[in-house]
Amino acid sequence: MSTHSVEDIKKSSARLRGTLLESLANPVTGALDEDDQTLIKYHGSYQQDDRDIREERRQQKLEPAHAFMIRTRTPGGVVSPEQWLELDRIATTYAERGLRITTRQAFQFHGVIKRELKATMQAINAALIDTLAACGDVNRNVAVAANPHESAAHGFVHAQAATLSKHLLPNTRAYYEIWLDEERVAGSGEEEERIYGDAYLPRKFKIGFAIPPYNDVDVFAQDLGFIAILEEGVVAGYNVSVGGGMGATHGDPETYPRLADVIGFIAPDQITAVAEAVITTQRDWGNRILRKRARLKYTIDDRGLETFKQEVERRAGFRLSPAHSFDFVHNGDRFGWVQGHNGLWHLTLRIVAGRIWDREKPHLSGLREIARTLLQVGDPQQPPEFRMTANQNLVIANVPADQCWHIDSLVASHGLGEHVQASPVRLNAIACVALPTCGLAMAEAERYLPDFLTRVETLLDKHALRDQPINIRISGCPNGCSRPYLGEIALVGKAPGRYNLMLGASHQGTRLNTLYRENIDEAAILAELDALFAQYANGRTSGEHFGDFLVRTGVVISKSLSLELVA
Ligand code: SRM
Ligand code: SF4
């Protein structure tokens, strides 16, 4: 481990340069210098190793099989068909595990080796996509309600989110020098970092834009949320929410998931000022001694919500208006075709755990065919797009009506049509990456999800509940990358094959679940669910969701977020 603290590494990095160039050039190891392992995150990459073969390599006295994960910055998860084809080519050329859609509408490539890292970064940038600030103690990829062509307002919100994402990028040429061979000029390394300052933020920071009635970005899990309020189809402004976050550590009560609080309402042109005020307050007030307490949610709990709000208003230079009322119906995706306001059609496909490769079914090939088709048949005035959702699914957007059949046939012939028949439980489930690439995983998640769902479906069939839209989430550890604490049923990894069973979140992403059974194996999990499904089948009221039923009947005790809005 590096003897330098993350705070020291950030401050002495010459605006995120460190010795990355030297580390990358070192042919002796597949790894980076330890401090550079921290810095490369700000460039959108993580050093990892293949955990499936870690022990084997240790016994052979070899260094771990180091490889890099690269994450894109794609606000709202939008790419063109041309970009899709490039991402596909990059995945096929450099990455081991295909394309991976993340829970924040980005792409990840896994298994890129050090000597190919620069070529991969260059190829991503050549596709006009960057990876700057996709990771690190800065604002991350901005999540936005999917399907933005559904109404003009959706497009407006997406454009605001993309502008904000750009505005909040760190001010450094390091990215361009290291990856794109830009010449280093006088003054580089001392760029003015007006928003972040020399030490960047105390911890990662996340922003999400939701458009009621859908909460597909899980806005209450974001550090900063903007909830669009529409009046006669036009965005009148946004309710602002602050202090959401999922990460926790097993057995440490000082860490916990927290839902964001709604603190008021702003006009659309006040977004940048509010975002800067929240971020700079967190920059100055956040805990820089204890990283585990450094997220905004703890700053707010330590200082008090009202004090925090007043400081944000002071820095923004205006007061927030009373929040407007709004309602969410669910936090999942809507599958299948919908028609947008522009007359074009959008198809949401189910992608299991966001992984796209040609393993069991030719998904990568199928989407390649779809991208090629869209290039030929799309309307140039309203070009087709691929849009990732924050639930790891994929929208094929802006398809002319007379081409829907063509897309449907490609979907069917490449096994991409799960949305047509799968149970709601299967469609809505999400799982984080976990093993073999995640260095923090304690148990399987992505690789376990399909089998676990099959077993749960068997139980649901037994109780005639297959049609119930129960929201299931699996994370390989308590960091919560699949936002498990917002699952009606969630497994949070504890050890290989063992999980904490969490129950009782709401279907709208407005109530956290609670721990029901600790550190149990699959047989015990299924036995618990079997008993609870039996109770649910017999005792539910009309339309009652599973999570709500568990809370109403006292199986778990959990408090909903109060949407009684702060004046
Ligand atoms: Fe995450 C760390 C993957 C969304 C909370 N997350 C990691 C790392 C980088 C592991 C590490 O630090 O070494 C994982 C890399 C795994 C791999 O092999 O790819 C990882 N997180 C992911 C992704 C890919 C999960 C997925 O299956 O899609 C998501 C990428 C999002 C993106 O595109 O930016 C991802 N992570 C999330 C979310 C969900 C969200 O943002 O909506 C959360 C919970 C919300 C939150 O931030 O509170 C989340 N990830 C964490 C945490 C806990 C942070 C905390 O406050 O304690 C960690 C650990 C850390 O930061 O120390 C973490
Ligand atoms: Fe890794 Fe844990 Fe995040 Fe899953 S929840 S990707 S295991 S850090």
Side-chain angles (χ1 to χ4, degrees):
M1 283 294 280
S2 169
T3 50
H4 302 134
S5 73
V6 175
E7 287 299 305
D8 290 342
I9 294 170
K10 288 186 282 187
K11 274 190 271 187
S12 60
S13 70
R15 298 287 186 264
L16 309 178
R17 286 170 179 82
T19 54
L20 265 167
L21 276 173
E22 292 82 345
S23 267
L24 288 166
N26 180 356
V28 175
T29 163
L32 300 175
D33 170 87
E34 285 182 359
D35 289 2
D36 295 326
Q37 290 173 29
T38 295
L39 290 177
I40 200 169
K41 297 177 185 177
Y42 297 77
H43 298 250
S45 179
Y46 268 72
Q47 180 179 308
Q48 304 182 316
D49 73 286
D50 184 339
R51 293 184 57 186
D52 283 348
I53 55 170
R54 193 184 271 181
E55 180 54 23
E56 182 187 320
R57 291 190 59 100
R58 197 185 61 77
Q59 284 179 9
Q60 292 170 351
K61 302 199 172 8
L62 294 170
E63 75 171 8
H66 293 299
F68 291 79
M69 173 269 271
I70 303 177
R71 187 184 287 168
T72 62
R73 184 183 65 89
T74 35
V78 185
V79 295
S80 67
E82 289 92 339
Q83 288 174 318
W84 182 276
L85 291 174
E86 275 309 296
L87 293 168
D88 172 344
R89 191 185 64 75
I90 294 163
T92 316
T93 312
Y94 298 111
E96 271 181 356
R97 303 171 59 77
L99 278 175
R100 174 64 159 61
I101 300 173
T102 74
T103 51
R104 298 193 67 75
Q105 300 169 300
F107 285 107
Q108 281 189 183
F109 302 96
H110 289 102
V112 180
I113 55 173
K114 189 172 93 171
R115 66 170 183 278
E116 295 187 340
L117 198 49
K118 188 163 167 179
T120 314
M121 289 291 221
Q122 292 189 340
I124 294 171
N125 278 271
L128 303 181
I129 294 172
D130 68 69
T131 65
L132 178 58
C135 318
D137 294 344
V138 283
N139 176 55
R140 305 283 188 91
N141 199 39
V142 177
V144 190
N147 226 344
H149 301 289
E150 186 174 313
S151 74
H154 284 70
F156 178 84
V157 171
H158 182 267
Q160 287 220 290
T163 305
L164 185 61
S165 170
K166 194 163 175 213
H167 181 79
L168 295 174
L169 282 175
N171 182 31
T172 177
R173 298 307 298 172
Y175 184 81
Y176 307 94
E177 290 168 16
I178 292 167
W179 308 109
L180 305 176
D181 294 329
E182 184 178 281
E183 205 171 317
R184 194 166 172 174
V185 296
S188 87
E190 292 157 22
E191 296 97 331
E192 190 197 357
E193 197 54 272
R194 187 181 62 81
I195 298 174
Y196 294 119
D198 290 342
Y200 298 88
L201 296 181
R203 204 67 165 81
K204 57 176 70 167
F205 191 88
K206 300 180 174 179
I207 299 178
F209 285 73
I211 308 180
Y214 303 108
N215 187 18
D216 52 350
V217 298
D218 265 330
V219 72
F220 299 114
Q222 313 284 333
D223 292 278
L224 173 59
F226 294 107
I227 302 163
I229 303 296
L230 273 53
E231 283 170 9
E232 294 176 6
V234 174
V235 179
Y238 298 90
N239 282 345
V240 178
S241 59
V242 291
M246 295 279 102
T249 304
H250 284 312
D252 182 350
E254 286 199 338
T255 67
Y256 43 82
R258 182 187 191 281
L259 290 185
D261 293 289
V262 176
I263 57 169
F265 175 84
I266 57 165
D269 64 1
Q270 294 176 318
I271 276 194
T272 310
V274 165
E276 279 196 20
V278 171
I279 287 173
T280 58
T281 305
Q282 161 65 357
R283 176 196 68 198
D284 299 340
W285 289 12
N287 192 329
R288 289 187 186 264
I289 309 293
L290 272 182
R291 268 186 82 72
K292 70 170 186 177
R293 290 279 302 178
R295 289 294 291 270
L296 177 65
K297 59 185 176 180
Y298 303 119
T299 309
I300 291 175
D301 283 349
D302 291 345
R303 298 282 189 135
L305 183 63
E306 196 48 41
T307 311
F308 181 81
K309 180 183 167 188
Q310 282 168 11
E311 181 64 13
V312 167
E313 291 182 328
R314 190 186 69 73
R315 291 182 187 223
F318 52 82
R319 295 202 61 184
L320 275 59
S321 310
H324 290 212
S325 60
F326 61 96
D327 214 7
F328 284 128
V329 289
H330 62 75
N331 59 352
D333 292 331
R334 293 153 291 156
F335 293 92
W337 289 101
V338 294
Q339 189 174 24
H341 71 107
N342 54 6
L344 297 171
W345 288 82
H346 318 304
L347 172 64
T348 305
L349 296 175
R350 167 70 182 153
I351 306 291
V352 179
R355 183 72 64 184
I356 303 173
W357 52 357
D358 284 347
R359 276 286 164 103
E360 283 94 29
K361 294 192 178 150
H363 288 170
L364 195 60
S365 303
L367 290 164
R368 188 180 306 139
E369 286 308 311
I370 290 174
R372 287 181 180 147
T373 303
L374 292 175
L375 282 177
Q376 286 162 14
V377 303
D379 174 353
Q381 302 305 316
Q382 301 174 98
E385 290 165 342
F386 286 80
R387 296 184 167 266
M388 276 81 72
T389 80
N391 291 307
Q392 303 172 323
N393 296 311
L394 182 65
V395 185
I396 315 279
N398 280 350
V399 179
D402 62 357
Q403 293 300 324
C404 292
W405 68 271
H406 194 173
I407 301 300
D408 270 339
S409 70
L410 288 171
V411 163
S413 60
H414 292 86
L416 283 158
E418 186 156 284
H419 63 283
V420 178
Q421 295 190 359
S423 67
V425 164
R426 191 170 285 269
L427 288 180
N428 289 314
I430 54 183
C432 74
V433 177
L435 294 162
T437 53
C438 178
L440 305 177
M442 299 171 174
E444 297 281 355
E446 177 184 323
R447 296 195 294 198
Y448 178 44
L449 181 70
D451 286 348
F452 181 68
L453 289 174
T454 302
R455 280 157 210 152
V456 170
E457 281 172 339
T458 304
L459 291 180
L460 291 169
D461 284 343
K462 178 176 162 191
H463 300 288
L465 289 170
R466 184 177 267 259
D467 293 339
Q468 292 306 308
I470 302 170
N471 177 343
I472 296 185
R473 296 178 173 188
I474 307 181
S475 273
C477 84
N479 285 311
C481 300
S482 61
R483 299 185 291 270
Y485 310 109
L486 287 164
E488 289 174 281
I489 299 172
L491 308 188
V492 176
K494 200 65 198 210
R498 302 186 76 85
Y499 298 85
N500 283 354
L501 175 61
M502 319 277 304
L503 296 174
S506 71
H507 202 67
Q508 297 80 17
T510 51
R511 182 181 62 233
L512 295 172
N513 54 24
T514 46
L515 179 61
Y516 183 66
R517 294 283 182 266
E518 203 172 346
N519 196 16
I520 55 176
D521 64 11
E522 182 181 79
I525 293 166
L526 295 175
E528 296 290 356
L529 292 180
D530 192 11
L532 293 169
F533 287 161
Q535 290 176 34
Y536 180 52
N538 293 324
R540 70 189 195 276
T541 58
S542 167
E544 187 174 36
H545 288 292
F546 186 59
D548 295 339
F549 168 80
L550 296 177
V551 173
R552 178 177 63 79
T553 55
V555 174
V556 292
I557 296 166
S558 190
K559 205 168 136 281
S560 288
L561 182 73
S562 167
L563 296 181
E564 291 301 309
L565 304 168
V566 182

